[in-house]
Amino acid sequence: MSPQFKIILTLILLILTLAFAEIATNSQIAIADTATTPATATAAEVFNTNCAGCHINGSNIIRRGKNLKQKALKKYGMDSIANISNLVTNGKGIMPGYKNRLSEQQIIDVSAYVLSQAETDWK
């Protein structure tokens, strides 16, 4: 394979990855904006309604390494309810914040749910 072909292939893959990330992000935001999460929803229901679109079974369809598995949570300092709650509340990068969609208690509950699921490797 020629060096030029490798560069072109790499650029095509990069463009496709960015396009997919944009589509997935916009789809997730659109779904989350129209979804209503009842105040009585369990943490699992809150997660499934608002988070599983990108983080199904603790994975990350946008950025594979930034998943919700215990090793990644520790690596990125997201191994506490407070830190996860802050991220869920305010968002970061392409992840939107949920402060206008979820109550403070729902954010705390879903953060605790993420930690408990990570401990069992999302099984």
Side-chain angles (χ1 to χ4, degrees):
M1 195 179 313
S2 72
Q4 293 85 1
F5 184 74
K6 286 182 181 180
I7 291 171
I8 291 170
L9 185 60
T10 302
L11 289 173
I12 290 170
L13 290 173
L14 178 62
I15 290 168
L16 289 173
T17 301
L18 292 172
F20 176 74
E22 181 67 21
I23 290 166
T25 301
N26 287 339
S27 297
Q28 188 251 342
I29 291 169
I31 291 167
D33 284 343
T34 59
T36 55
T37 307
T40 58
T42 66
E45 292 169 333
V46 171
F47 183 87
N48 289 331
T49 301
N50 296 279
C51 312
C54 289
H55 294 289
I56 191 159
N57 296 322
S59 64
N60 185 329
I61 66 167
I62 308 297
R63 297 196 58 196
R64 194 172 16 160
K66 292 206 172 182
N67 57 58
L68 304 179
K69 308 289 181 157
Q70 199 164 33
K71 182 177 177 182
L73 292 175
K74 286 183 182 186
K75 178 179 179 180
Y76 295 107
M78 292 292 140
D79 53 348
S80 72
I81 292 173
N83 290 351
I84 295 172
S85 292
N86 184 53
L87 180 62
V88 173
T89 300
N90 301 306
K92 183 176 180 183
I94 61 174
M95 180 179 159
Y98 288 83
K99 64 184 166 197
N100 295 325
R101 298 180 202 139
L102 300 174
S103 70
E104 186 176 331
Q105 188 60 53
Q106 286 175 317
I107 291 172
I108 292 168
D109 292 347
V110 82
S111 299
Y113 174 79
V114 166
L115 284 178
S116 70
Q117 290 298 107
E119 289 174 4
T120 62
D121 201 28
W122 291 86
K123 294 184 179 177

mmCIF file with all atom_site columns, all heavy atoms in Angstrom, residues 22-43:
data_model
loop_
_atom_site.group_PDB
_atom_site.id
_atom_site.type_symbol
_atom_site.label_atom_id
_atom_site.label_alt_id
_atom_site.label_comp_id
_atom_site.label_asym_id
_atom_site.label_entity_id
_atom_site.label_seq_id
_atom_site.pdbx_PDB_ins_code
_atom_site.Cartn_x
_atom_site.Cartn_y
_atom_site.Cartn_z
_atom_site.occupancy
_atom_site.B_iso_or_equiv
_atom_site.pdbx_formal_charge
_atom_site.auth_seq_id
_atom_site.auth_comp_id
_atom_site.auth_asym_id
_atom_site.auth_atom_id
_atom_site.pdbx_PDB_model_num
ATOM 1   N N   . GLU A 1 22 ? -21.083 13.225 14.911 1.00 0.00 ? 22 GLU A N   1
ATOM 2   C CA  . GLU A 1 22 ? -22.031 14.334 14.787 1.00 0.00 ? 22 GLU A CA  1
ATOM 3   C C   . GLU A 1 22 ? -23.459 13.817 14.697 1.00 0.00 ? 22 GLU A C   1
ATOM 4   O O   . GLU A 1 22 ? -24.361 14.317 15.374 1.00 0.00 ? 22 GLU A O   1
ATOM 5   C CB  . GLU A 1 22 ? -21.691 15.188 13.564 1.00 0.00 ? 22 GLU A CB  1
ATOM 6   C CG  . GLU A 1 22 ? -22.593 16.376 13.372 1.00 0.00 ? 22 GLU A CG  1
ATOM 7   C CD  . GLU A 1 22 ? -22.450 17.433 14.459 1.00 0.00 ? 22 GLU A CD  1
ATOM 8   O OE1 . GLU A 1 22 ? -21.416 17.480 15.144 1.00 0.00 ? 22 GLU A OE1 1
ATOM 9   O OE2 . GLU A 1 22 ? -23.400 18.211 14.620 1.00 0.00 ? 22 GLU A OE2 1
ATOM 10  N N   . ILE A 1 23 ? -23.679 12.805 13.889 1.00 0.00 ? 23 ILE A N   1
ATOM 11  C CA  . ILE A 1 23 ? -25.022 12.234 13.737 1.00 0.00 ? 23 ILE A CA  1
ATOM 12  C C   . ILE A 1 23 ? -25.483 11.629 15.047 1.00 0.00 ? 23 ILE A C   1
ATOM 13  O O   . ILE A 1 23 ? -26.605 11.877 15.495 1.00 0.00 ? 23 ILE A O   1
ATOM 14  C CB  . ILE A 1 23 ? -25.032 11.165 12.617 1.00 0.00 ? 23 ILE A CB  1
ATOM 15  C CG1 . ILE A 1 23 ? -24.859 11.839 11.259 1.00 0.00 ? 23 ILE A CG1 1
ATOM 16  C CG2 . ILE A 1 23 ? -26.325 10.347 12.649 1.00 0.00 ? 23 ILE A CG2 1
ATOM 17  C CD1 . ILE A 1 23 ? -24.530 10.871 10.136 1.00 0.00 ? 23 ILE A CD1 1
ATOM 18  N N   . ALA A 1 24 ? -24.612 10.849 15.681 1.00 0.00 ? 24 ALA A N   1
ATOM 19  C CA  . ALA A 1 24 ? -24.988 10.212 16.945 1.00 0.00 ? 24 ALA A CA  1
ATOM 20  C C   . ALA A 1 24 ? -25.248 11.244 18.030 1.00 0.00 ? 24 ALA A C   1
ATOM 21  O O   . ALA A 1 24 ? -26.188 11.127 18.805 1.00 0.00 ? 24 ALA A O   1
ATOM 22  C CB  . ALA A 1 24 ? -23.898 9.234  17.387 1.00 0.00 ? 24 ALA A CB  1
ATOM 23  N N   . THR A 1 25 ? -24.425 12.276 18.081 1.00 0.00 ? 25 THR A N   1
ATOM 24  C CA  . THR A 1 25 ? -24.608 13.316 19.088 1.00 0.00 ? 25 THR A CA  1
ATOM 25  C C   . THR A 1 25 ? -25.921 14.055 18.856 1.00 0.00 ? 25 THR A C   1
ATOM 26  O O   . THR A 1 25 ? -26.697 14.255 19.782 1.00 0.00 ? 25 THR A O   1
ATOM 27  C CB  . THR A 1 25 ? -23.439 14.321 19.061 1.00 0.00 ? 25 THR A CB  1
ATOM 28  O OG1 . THR A 1 25 ? -22.242 13.601 19.310 1.00 0.00 ? 25 THR A OG1 1
ATOM 29  C CG2 . THR A 1 25 ? -23.615 15.393 20.114 1.00 0.00 ? 25 THR A CG2 1
ATOM 30  N N   . ASN A 1 26 ? -26.180 14.454 17.635 1.00 0.00 ? 26 ASN A N   1
ATOM 31  C CA  . ASN A 1 26 ? -27.422 15.162 17.346 1.00 0.00 ? 26 ASN A CA  1
ATOM 32  C C   . ASN A 1 26 ? -28.633 14.288 17.592 1.00 0.00 ? 26 ASN A C   1
ATOM 33  O O   . ASN A 1 26 ? -29.642 14.747 18.100 1.00 0.00 ? 26 ASN A O   1
ATOM 34  C CB  . ASN A 1 26 ? -27.422 15.682 15.907 1.00 0.00 ? 26 ASN A CB  1
ATOM 35  C CG  . ASN A 1 26 ? -26.484 16.854 15.724 1.00 0.00 ? 26 ASN A CG  1
ATOM 36  O OD1 . ASN A 1 26 ? -26.123 17.518 16.678 1.00 0.00 ? 26 ASN A OD1 1
ATOM 37  N ND2 . ASN A 1 26 ? -26.064 17.082 14.497 1.00 0.00 ? 26 ASN A ND2 1
ATOM 38  N N   . SER A 1 27 ? -28.543 13.011 17.256 1.00 0.00 ? 27 SER A N   1
ATOM 39  C CA  . SER A 1 27 ? -29.653 12.098 17.495 1.00 0.00 ? 27 SER A CA  1
ATOM 40  C C   . SER A 1 27 ? -29.895 11.945 18.983 1.00 0.00 ? 27 SER A C   1
ATOM 41  O O   . SER A 1 27 ? -31.018 11.963 19.458 1.00 0.00 ? 27 SER A O   1
ATOM 42  C CB  . SER A 1 27 ? -29.363 10.725 16.882 1.00 0.00 ? 27 SER A CB  1
ATOM 43  O OG  . SER A 1 27 ? -29.246 10.831 15.495 1.00 0.00 ? 27 SER A OG  1
ATOM 44  N N   . GLN A 1 28 ? -28.812 11.810 19.734 1.00 0.00 ? 28 GLN A N   1
ATOM 45  C CA  . GLN A 1 28 ? -28.945 11.639 21.176 1.00 0.00 ? 28 GLN A CA  1
ATOM 46  C C   . GLN A 1 28 ? -29.534 12.873 21.811 1.00 0.00 ? 28 GLN A C   1
ATOM 47  O O   . GLN A 1 28 ? -30.405 12.785 22.649 1.00 0.00 ? 28 GLN A O   1
ATOM 48  C CB  . GLN A 1 28 ? -27.566 11.326 21.788 1.00 0.00 ? 28 GLN A CB  1
ATOM 49  C CG  . GLN A 1 28 ? -27.622 10.954 23.252 1.00 0.00 ? 28 GLN A CG  1
ATOM 50  C CD  . GLN A 1 28 ? -27.062 12.017 24.157 1.00 0.00 ? 28 GLN A CD  1
ATOM 51  O OE1 . GLN A 1 28 ? -26.339 12.901 23.738 1.00 0.00 ? 28 GLN A OE1 1
ATOM 52  N NE2 . GLN A 1 28 ? -27.402 11.964 25.399 1.00 0.00 ? 28 GLN A NE2 1
ATOM 53  N N   . ILE A 1 29 ? -29.107 14.049 21.366 1.00 0.00 ? 29 ILE A N   1
ATOM 54  C CA  . ILE A 1 29 ? -29.643 15.284 21.912 1.00 0.00 ? 29 ILE A CA  1
ATOM 55  C C   . ILE A 1 29 ? -31.112 15.413 21.554 1.00 0.00 ? 29 ILE A C   1
ATOM 56  O O   . ILE A 1 29 ? -31.939 15.747 22.393 1.00 0.00 ? 29 ILE A O   1
ATOM 57  C CB  . ILE A 1 29 ? -28.846 16.505 21.414 1.00 0.00 ? 29 ILE A CB  1
ATOM 58  C CG1 . ILE A 1 29 ? -27.445 16.488 22.044 1.00 0.00 ? 29 ILE A CG1 1
ATOM 59  C CG2 . ILE A 1 29 ? -29.548 17.809 21.745 1.00 0.00 ? 29 ILE A CG2 1
ATOM 60  C CD1 . ILE A 1 29 ? -26.486 17.488 21.433 1.00 0.00 ? 29 ILE A CD1 1
ATOM 61  N N   . ALA A 1 30 ? -31.467 15.106 20.327 1.00 0.00 ? 30 ALA A N   1
ATOM 62  C CA  . ALA A 1 30 ? -32.858 15.213 19.903 1.00 0.00 ? 30 ALA A CA  1
ATOM 63  C C   . ALA A 1 30 ? -33.734 14.264 20.713 1.00 0.00 ? 30 ALA A C   1
ATOM 64  O O   . ALA A 1 30 ? -34.816 14.633 21.154 1.00 0.00 ? 30 ALA A O   1
ATOM 65  C CB  . ALA A 1 30 ? -32.986 14.907 18.422 1.00 0.00 ? 30 ALA A CB  1
ATOM 66  N N   . ILE A 1 31 ? -33.264 13.052 20.931 1.00 0.00 ? 31 ILE A N   1
ATOM 67  C CA  . ILE A 1 31 ? -34.033 12.098 21.714 1.00 0.00 ? 31 ILE A CA  1
ATOM 68  C C   . ILE A 1 31 ? -34.159 12.581 23.152 1.00 0.00 ? 31 ILE A C   1
ATOM 69  O O   . ILE A 1 31 ? -35.231 12.577 23.728 1.00 0.00 ? 31 ILE A O   1
ATOM 70  C CB  . ILE A 1 31 ? -33.377 10.702 21.673 1.00 0.00 ? 31 ILE A CB  1
ATOM 71  C CG1 . ILE A 1 31 ? -33.505 10.117 20.260 1.00 0.00 ? 31 ILE A CG1 1
ATOM 72  C CG2 . ILE A 1 31 ? -33.994 9.765  22.687 1.00 0.00 ? 31 ILE A CG2 1
ATOM 73  C CD1 . ILE A 1 31 ? -32.635 8.908  20.016 1.00 0.00 ? 31 ILE A CD1 1
ATOM 74  N N   . ALA A 1 32 ? -33.056 13.040 23.730 1.00 0.00 ? 32 ALA A N   1
ATOM 75  C CA  . ALA A 1 32 ? -33.084 13.483 25.115 1.00 0.00 ? 32 ALA A CA  1
ATOM 76  C C   . ALA A 1 32 ? -33.958 14.723 25.276 1.00 0.00 ? 32 ALA A C   1
ATOM 77  O O   . ALA A 1 32 ? -34.643 14.877 26.270 1.00 0.00 ? 32 ALA A O   1
ATOM 78  C CB  . ALA A 1 32 ? -31.673 13.776 25.610 1.00 0.00 ? 32 ALA A CB  1
ATOM 79  N N   . ASP A 1 33 ? -33.955 15.634 24.277 1.00 0.00 ? 33 ASP A N   1
ATOM 80  C CA  . ASP A 1 33 ? -34.767 16.837 24.379 1.00 0.00 ? 33 ASP A CA  1
ATOM 81  C C   . ASP A 1 33 ? -36.251 16.518 24.380 1.00 0.00 ? 33 ASP A C   1
ATOM 82  O O   . ASP A 1 33 ? -37.036 17.222 24.988 1.00 0.00 ? 33 ASP A O   1
ATOM 83  C CB  . ASP A 1 33 ? -34.463 17.795 23.210 1.00 0.00 ? 33 ASP A CB  1
ATOM 84  C CG  . ASP A 1 33 ? -33.143 18.516 23.398 1.00 0.00 ? 33 ASP A CG  1
ATOM 85  O OD1 . ASP A 1 33 ? -32.638 18.531 24.528 1.00 0.00 ? 33 ASP A OD1 1
ATOM 86  O OD2 . ASP A 1 33 ? -32.627 19.055 22.404 1.00 0.00 ? 33 ASP A OD2 1
ATOM 87  N N   . THR A 1 34 ? -36.662 15.477 23.663 1.00 0.00 ? 34 THR A N   1
ATOM 88  C CA  . THR A 1 34 ? -38.075 15.160 23.579 1.00 0.00 ? 34 THR A CA  1
ATOM 89  C C   . THR A 1 34 ? -38.502 14.143 24.622 1.00 0.00 ? 34 THR A C   1
ATOM 90  O O   . THR A 1 34 ? -39.688 13.947 24.844 1.00 0.00 ? 34 THR A O   1
ATOM 91  C CB  . THR A 1 34 ? -38.422 14.620 22.170 1.00 0.00 ? 34 THR A CB  1
ATOM 92  O OG1 . THR A 1 34 ? -37.652 13.458 21.932 1.00 0.00 ? 34 THR A OG1 1
ATOM 93  C CG2 . THR A 1 34 ? -38.169 15.660 21.105 1.00 0.00 ? 34 THR A CG2 1
ATOM 94  N N   . ALA A 1 35 ? -37.547 13.486 25.237 1.00 0.00 ? 35 ALA A N   1
ATOM 95  C CA  . ALA A 1 35 ? -37.881 12.483 26.238 1.00 0.00 ? 35 ALA A CA  1
ATOM 96  C C   . ALA A 1 35 ? -38.302 13.153 27.531 1.00 0.00 ? 35 ALA A C   1
ATOM 97  O O   . ALA A 1 35 ? -37.746 14.162 27.929 1.00 0.00 ? 35 ALA A O   1
ATOM 98  C CB  . ALA A 1 35 ? -36.670 11.581 26.498 1.00 0.00 ? 35 ALA A CB  1
ATOM 99  N N   . THR A 1 36 ? -39.293 12.582 28.149 1.00 0.00 ? 36 THR A N   1
ATOM 100 C CA  . THR A 1 36 ? -39.676 13.066 29.463 1.00 0.00 ? 36 THR A CA  1
ATOM 101 C C   . THR A 1 36 ? -39.361 11.963 30.454 1.00 0.00 ? 36 THR A C   1
ATOM 102 O O   . THR A 1 36 ? -39.705 10.805 30.233 1.00 0.00 ? 36 THR A O   1
ATOM 103 C CB  . THR A 1 36 ? -41.172 13.434 29.524 1.00 0.00 ? 36 THR A CB  1
ATOM 104 O OG1 . THR A 1 36 ? -41.934 12.301 29.100 1.00 0.00 ? 36 THR A OG1 1
ATOM 105 C CG2 . THR A 1 36 ? -41.473 14.609 28.626 1.00 0.00 ? 36 THR A CG2 1
ATOM 106 N N   . THR A 1 37 ? -38.695 12.321 31.487 1.00 0.00 ? 37 THR A N   1
ATOM 107 C CA  . THR A 1 37 ? -38.326 11.362 32.511 1.00 0.00 ? 37 THR A CA  1
ATOM 108 C C   . THR A 1 37 ? -39.128 11.688 33.759 1.00 0.00 ? 37 THR A C   1
ATOM 109 O O   . THR A 1 37 ? -38.897 12.717 34.388 1.00 0.00 ? 37 THR A O   1
ATOM 110 C CB  . THR A 1 37 ? -36.812 11.441 32.817 1.00 0.00 ? 37 THR A CB  1
ATOM 111 O OG1 . THR A 1 37 ? -36.097 11.318 31.590 1.00 0.00 ? 37 THR A OG1 1
ATOM 112 C CG2 . THR A 1 37 ? -36.393 10.338 33.753 1.00 0.00 ? 37 THR A CG2 1
ATOM 113 N N   . PRO A 1 38 ? -40.088 10.847 34.094 1.00 0.00 ? 38 PRO A N   1
ATOM 114 C CA  . PRO A 1 38 ? -40.904 11.126 35.271 1.00 0.00 ? 38 PRO A CA  1
ATOM 115 C C   . PRO A 1 38 ? -40.060 11.216 36.533 1.00 0.00 ? 38 PRO A C   1
ATOM 116 O O   . PRO A 1 38 ? -39.042 10.535 36.665 1.00 0.00 ? 38 PRO A O   1
ATOM 117 C CB  . PRO A 1 38 ? -41.854 9.929  35.352 1.00 0.00 ? 38 PRO A CB  1
ATOM 118 C CG  . PRO A 1 38 ? -41.725 9.194  34.071 1.00 0.00 ? 38 PRO A CG  1
ATOM 119 C CD  . PRO A 1 38 ? -40.424 9.589  33.452 1.00 0.00 ? 38 PRO A CD  1
ATOM 120 N N   . ALA A 1 39 ? -40.489 12.047 37.448 1.00 0.00 ? 39 ALA A N   1
ATOM 121 C CA  . ALA A 1 39 ? -39.766 12.222 38.713 1.00 0.00 ? 39 ALA A CA  1
ATOM 122 C C   . ALA A 1 39 ? -39.684 10.910 39.480 1.00 0.00 ? 39 ALA A C   1
ATOM 123 O O   . ALA A 1 39 ? -38.784 10.720 40.295 1.00 0.00 ? 39 ALA A O   1
ATOM 124 C CB  . ALA A 1 39 ? -40.434 13.298 39.555 1.00 0.00 ? 39 ALA A CB  1
ATOM 125 N N   . THR A 1 40 ? -40.609 9.986  39.225 1.00 0.00 ? 40 THR A N   1
ATOM 126 C CA  . THR A 1 40 ? -40.631 8.714  39.950 1.00 0.00 ? 40 THR A CA  1
ATOM 127 C C   . THR A 1 40 ? -39.825 7.614  39.255 1.00 0.00 ? 40 THR A C   1
ATOM 128 O O   . THR A 1 40 ? -39.804 6.487  39.721 1.00 0.00 ? 40 THR A O   1
ATOM 129 C CB  . THR A 1 40 ? -42.089 8.236  40.105 1.00 0.00 ? 40 THR A CB  1
ATOM 130 O OG1 . THR A 1 40 ? -42.660 8.108  38.802 1.00 0.00 ? 40 THR A OG1 1
ATOM 131 C CG2 . THR A 1 40 ? -42.899 9.191  40.959 1.00 0.00 ? 40 THR A CG2 1
ATOM 132 N N   . ALA A 1 41 ? -39.161 7.942  38.162 1.00 0.00 ? 41 ALA A N   1
ATOM 133 C CA  . ALA A 1 41 ? -38.381 6.943  37.430 1.00 0.00 ? 41 ALA A CA  1
ATOM 134 C C   . ALA A 1 41 ? -37.227 6.429  38.282 1.00 0.00 ? 41 ALA A C   1
ATOM 135 O O   . ALA A 1 41 ? -36.606 7.186  39.032 1.00 0.00 ? 41 ALA A O   1
ATOM 136 C CB  . ALA A 1 41 ? -37.845 7.544  36.135 1.00 0.00 ? 41 ALA A CB  1
ATOM 137 N N   . THR A 1 42 ? -36.928 5.139  38.147 1.00 0.00 ? 42 THR A N   1
ATOM 138 C CA  . THR A 1 42 ? -35.783 4.573  38.852 1.00 0.00 ? 42 THR A CA  1
ATOM 139 C C   . THR A 1 42 ? -34.499 5.039  38.171 1.00 0.00 ? 42 THR A C   1
ATOM 140 O O   . THR A 1 42 ? -34.526 5.516  37.036 1.00 0.00 ? 42 THR A O   1
ATOM 141 C CB  . THR A 1 42 ? -35.821 3.031  38.821 1.00 0.00 ? 42 THR A CB  1
ATOM 142 O OG1 . THR A 1 42 ? -35.650 2.597  37.472 1.00 0.00 ? 42 THR A OG1 1
ATOM 143 C CG2 . THR A 1 42 ? -37.123 2.488  39.396 1.00 0.00 ? 42 THR A CG2 1
ATOM 144 N N   . ALA A 1 43 ? -33.384 4.855  38.844 1.00 0.00 ? 43 ALA A N   1
ATOM 145 C CA  . ALA A 1 43 ? -32.090 5.243  38.267 1.00 0.00 ? 43 ALA A CA  1
ATOM 146 C C   . ALA A 1 43 ? -31.836 4.483  36.972 1.00 0.00 ? 43 ALA A C   1
ATOM 147 O O   . ALA A 1 43 ? -31.327 5.049  36.002 1.00 0.00 ? 43 ALA A O   1
ATOM 148 C CB  . ALA A 1 43 ? -30.975 4.999  39.271 1.00 0.00 ? 43 ALA A CB  1
#
